[in-house]
Amino acid sequence: MTDTDKTEASCNLEAESLSTRQLSGLGRLEKSLARETELFKRRTANSARLSEQSKSDGLPNGVPMPWMTEWHMPYAMYVASGSGATIIDVDGNEYQDFCLGDSGTMFGHSPPATSQAVIEQIREGITTMLPTKDAGVVARELARRFGLTHWQFAISATDANRFVVRICRVLTGRPKVLIFDQCYHGSLDETLGHIENGQIARRASYDTNPAVSPSRITRIVEFNDLESLERELAHGDVACVLAEPVMTNCGMVLPEPGFHERLRDLTRQHNVYLVIDETHTFSSGPGGYTAAHGLEPDFITLGKAIAGGVPAAVYGFSSEIAEKIANGFAGERDTAPMGIGGTLAGNALSIRAIRATLENVATEEAFEHMIQGANRLADGIEDKIASIGLPWSVTRCGARVELQFAPNPPRTGAEAKLQIDWDLLGFIHLYLANRGVLLTPFHNMMLISPVTDVAAIDLLVSQLRSCMEELVELDDRRIKRESKRQIKAPCMAGEEAEL
């Protein structure tokens, strides 16, 4: 095997799984995809019209935000309304929503308690750049749930992560952030690199950000690779490790037994702050994965669902860190020049929405329903995979379920990335959308809300089975072939590599 072969896919991983590379030889998948595309167009004429009109109105690709083009549809589906776990498009089609705004509406669309609180607060004032009585109530509740004593507010999890990274650099005097390959923590320059041929590289070929080599601000290792983690921390230039407790943005990668305990030990040993991003793993319970599994981070960041869909985020930290901040830059009134905070951060409307959501929506009972529903969904999909004989698997974390195109769940981000086949994924998502079910467009994530009912879960399982059966019929010999996987030495990156 050549050196090039050994470094393929950035992490020395070769895998074969059901994919369009196996199916497209006879053009059968393409024909099925063309059929589903035409069906979608027949069902969504008003969305097509609005998409074209929006382009004329000045919206690139007919959408107000680029990600909205990444649904596996010939054009964006325009929404008329969302309520509970259901969306209705402008053509009157109803969808059972398992994307839930990619977790932004984890607790359902427009929860009544949150909606009522928002209406009341709008009448009382949206933002003043001064605190309201709700802020302290929310901070106490977050401390109770997550175990960290001090809390601040932001507009998005991206901002919360950015603020925390800046704080960690100031408190440690160190320049770098350590992340895990294929992670996502928002649009931070420090988190948009990945491992390519053993070095840190930019993920997008068009990107020239940041204006320095990513390796000067970031160290990257594979999730679950403790040996590489220890080696990279030993350089002494890492201010913090920023991590999801379960990787959820490249499919789903679960921590191996003992990973989090050793991660915490190593960060303490090297005087590195541990930042846990609970934005997606909040689905694990009222205190997120942190409380459910007894993690001990120095900082927690959390956005998206915490305000029931209203833009808001929070970040928490320990009393020790709070004292250092108070005796340092906060006492000098340097937070604004340091890029910590924002004019609309902590506004009255978002904090009122957070309070209403925590008190009335994201309750113990709600999470019990969500997790039970997710287990029903995962069990149902696993049963259908086994009965059909597909070399696929299912991963679950709290109320989140992920369908993987390989027989064994991935253990690293690189493995998860290699398993994704965009054409196959696109066919499945469009097939389901045409039958009234929506999945997260970026991968096969399915999320259960407190108002997702058994009928909706069973509909998804049934329609997914029909889709899988069609895929088997497209190429029975290839699709049932046992997948092969060969994992070689884990890779890492963190040294200087001018790009």
Side-chain angles (χ1 to χ4, degrees), residues 98-249:
F98 292 89
C99 171
L100 295 170
D102 195 20
S103 300
T105 52
M106 183 187 299
F107 303 111
H109 298 285
S110 299
T114 304
S115 298
Q116 183 60 38
V118 166
I119 292 170
E120 293 172 0
Q121 188 61 52
I122 286 175
R123 293 172 179 154
E124 297 169 5
I126 296 172
T127 185
T128 60
M129 213 171 71
L130 288 167
T132 63
K133 63 182 181 181
D134 293 322
V137 175
V138 170
R140 287 196 300 273
E141 177 61 10
L142 290 170
R144 183 188 72 83
R145 289 180 179 229
F146 290 93
L148 293 178
T149 55
H150 289 71
W151 293 85
Q152 290 283 272
F153 297 83
I155 293 298
S156 69
T158 293
D159 277 345
N161 284 322
R162 182 180 293 113
F163 300 160
V164 167
V165 165
R166 289 174 181 265
I167 292 169
C168 290
R169 282 194 172 121
V170 170
L171 296 183
T172 63
R174 297 173 177 177
K176 294 188 179 183
V177 177
L178 188 145
I179 60 171
F180 294 101
D181 191 35
Q182 305 305 320
C183 70
Y184 185 76
H185 298 283
S187 57
L188 281 71
D189 286 337
E190 294 87 350
T191 66
L192 292 178
H194 73 149
I195 299 175
E196 184 176 297
N197 296 326
Q199 292 185 322
I200 294 176
R202 299 178 177 93
R203 296 191 199 187
S205 59
Y206 291 99
D207 197 7
T208 59
N209 296 295
V212 297
S213 168
S215 64
R216 297 185 65 177
I217 58 175
T218 307
R219 289 188 178 275
I220 307 178
V221 300
E222 290 293 350
F223 201 69
N224 286 315
D225 183 357
L226 291 169
E227 181 180 351
S228 292
L229 173 66
E230 184 170 11
R231 181 168 57 247
E232 292 303 293
L233 291 179
H235 289 280
D237 56 5
V238 174
C240 66
V241 172
L242 175 56
E244 287 187 291
V246 173
M247 295 189 74
T248 65
N249 282 282

